[in-house]
Amino acid sequence: MSRRVKKPLAKRGPEGTRGKPARAGLGAKTGKPGAGKPAAGKAVAGKPGAGKPGGAKPPRDAKPLRAGGPSKTSRGEGVGRPPRSGDKPIRFGAGPARSSRPAGEGRPRAAQPASVEPRERPEAKPDAPLPTKVETVTVTADENGMRVDRFLEARFPGLSFSHIQRIVRKGELRVNGKRADSKDRLEEGQSVRIPPLKLDTPKLPGHLSEAEQKTLQTLKAMTLFEDADVLVLNKPAGLAVQGGSGTTRHIDQMLEVLRDAKGQKPRLVHRIDKETAGCLLVAKTRFAATALTGSFRHRSARKIYWALVAGVPKPKQGRISTYLAKDESEEDSIMRVAKHGDDGASHAVTYYAVVETSGQKLAWVSLKPVTGRTHQLRAHMAHIGHAIVGDPKYFNIENWQLPGGLQNRLHLLARRIVIPHPRGGVIDVSAPLPPHMLQSWNLLGLEHDRFDPIEHAPEE
């Protein structure tokens, strides 16, 4: 059951009083059109919010990114009630504003690497040693609800994905004395038996093969942001993040060429679907992996996605709240909308906002996931009747024809990520449209530099 509550969100003033929403596309002080747009590859350190587009605030670890203050939508009102004709749409603050740039200008450019220069660099915590013999550890309160594979990644960031899957598959890792699956959720107080672990043999940069040198150049070309601790890649559509059945080339494997002199391999902090393009966050050190994983766990990271969907969602701004569960078969797996209490069902919340439309046939939608469930955005948009164009799993609208010139590929971009930097300041990086989406935007006459109203969506 979904809930799309459409109560207006009034913006809080400096003293907590409610006021009128900000005018579309106007900065807090300058009043110039276009203020508030994200800049590709920007990172800000030192002062939270300094140098951010439109005066946007950093995630909740610094200052909350909130617009409109608390609303009834986050307290559970409207569960199970379908939209009514007299309802007013939820408003996130400023609405879309047309850019003053001439047609043909303002196309997104490839983001340039930036660096973070914090005022102080605290000493990094020592890395946890890998166990050389069988150990039994207890799940802490902070680890409650974590998946088994992510539990191992958080405890021992140097482990490769393939190594984690191997020890779980062989039954070497046990929870309360029983075999566990990598996707099982842990509970506080459980005992986890961990077998001896080891890192893969490091390869020195000067001894890379010709194929590995090409992989290194490919990763450099994908880099949106990099410093001593963090790497943000612009993952192309069609390249898997991790290995699986029949997958021989993926990001996790490619990161092997970036091992440092101590043998530390950069490790994935989160994942995006194979056919989804855009920002992918990677930790280059164990210290950074622990800090960034904690930011995701405590929802201090903010992610924004862009999608092209069938039809125009009504209302144009809203909140989708459902339970999602996985249906697995021998050939495939898919997320379905479930009921509270169903086996394997997890709560999922997404805010959406229509940025621009192409008649009534298509809409450019900006999405902000509050939770991070598998295929959450794809399943949620299909659930409200506006599936993402080119989605092979969830697009099932009958008698719908793809407009001429558009490629039948998933039109979903991990557009922007904002997260506290492990050593202070804020990382704020945006990815440009991938080639197939840029082609669609140009054919449909959509303006890439429009104001994004999802900026003002709540964080919970």
Side-chain angles (χ1 to χ4, degrees), residues 131-358:
T132 57
K133 59 183 180 179
V134 174
E135 292 184 2
T136 300
V137 299
T138 302
V139 179
T140 66
D142 287 341
E143 295 165 335
N144 184 54
M146 288 182 68
R147 286 174 31 158
V148 169
D149 53 358
R150 294 177 182 171
F151 168 82
L152 288 172
E153 288 179 350
R155 288 253 180 169
F156 311 105
L159 287 179
S160 66
F161 173 77
S162 58
H163 189 29
I164 291 174
Q165 297 299 314
R166 183 167 60 252
I167 63 175
V168 173
R169 184 176 62 252
K170 289 183 176 180
E172 297 177 6
L173 181 141
R174 293 181 177 266
V175 179
N176 285 353
K178 298 180 181 179
R179 293 178 69 109
D181 187 84
S182 60
K183 298 178 182 178
D184 289 347
R185 300 280 177 174
L186 297 173
E187 296 179 3
E188 181 184 359
Q190 287 183 323
S191 297
V192 181
R193 175 192 182 275
I194 300 176
L197 303 174
K198 64 179 181 179
L199 294 174
D200 294 336
T201 304
K203 293 185 179 181
L204 298 177
H207 295 79
L208 296 178
S209 66
E210 184 177 348
E212 290 168 334
Q213 290 285 0
K214 290 182 179 179
T215 298
L216 181 61
Q217 292 304 315
T218 300
L219 288 172
K220 294 299 181 184
M222 291 164 50
T223 300
L224 294 171
F225 167 82
E226 183 177 16
D227 67 6
D229 294 288
V230 182
L231 177 67
V232 182
L233 299 175
N234 181 19
K235 188 191 82 66
L239 178 60
V241 173
Q242 290 181 316
S245 178
T247 302
T248 57
R249 182 175 174 81
H250 50 87
I251 296 291
D252 193 46
Q253 172 217 26
M254 296 171 69
L255 292 175
E256 291 287 345
V257 301
L258 295 180
R259 285 188 181 274
D260 61 18
K262 296 181 180 179
Q264 287 193 99
K265 168 192 164 185
R267 53 209 47 89
L268 300 166
V269 178
H270 68 124
R271 300 157 184 80
I272 56 179
D273 296 341
K274 177 179 179 179
E275 296 304 325
T276 302
C279 296
L280 181 68
L281 188 65
V282 177
K284 296 176 67 176
T285 62
R286 295 183 187 179
F287 166 71
T290 301
L292 295 172
T293 301
S295 293
F296 274 93
R297 187 183 311 131
H298 299 297
R299 296 183 184 172
S300 300
R302 183 176 66 159
K303 295 182 289 182
I304 293 175
Y305 290 75
W306 282 359
L308 188 68
V309 304
V312 180
K314 294 181 181 180
K316 289 190 174 183
Q317 295 180 1
R319 180 179 188 262
I320 307 169
S321 176
T322 71
Y323 284 84
L324 295 177
K326 181 178 288 188
D327 280 344
E328 293 192 86
S329 64
E330 293 182 1
E331 300 157 354
D332 203 357
S333 63
I334 193 169
M335 301 300 292
R336 62 175 174 84
V337 174
K339 295 180 180 179
H340 179 45
D342 284 0
D343 186 31
S346 299
H347 190 213
V349 177
T350 301
Y351 283 95
Y352 73 88
V354 175
V355 183
E356 193 174 5
T357 65
S358 179

Side-chain angles (χ1 to χ4, degrees), residues 18-35:
R18 295 188 181 276
K20 296 181 179 179
R23 291 177 59 193
L26 296 185
K29 296 181 179 180
T30 63
K32 294 181 180 179

Side-chain angles (χ1 to χ4, degrees), residues 11-19 57:
K11 190 160 185 174
R12 282 188 177 274
E15 303 299 327
T17 58
R18 295 188 181 276
K57 299 178 182 178

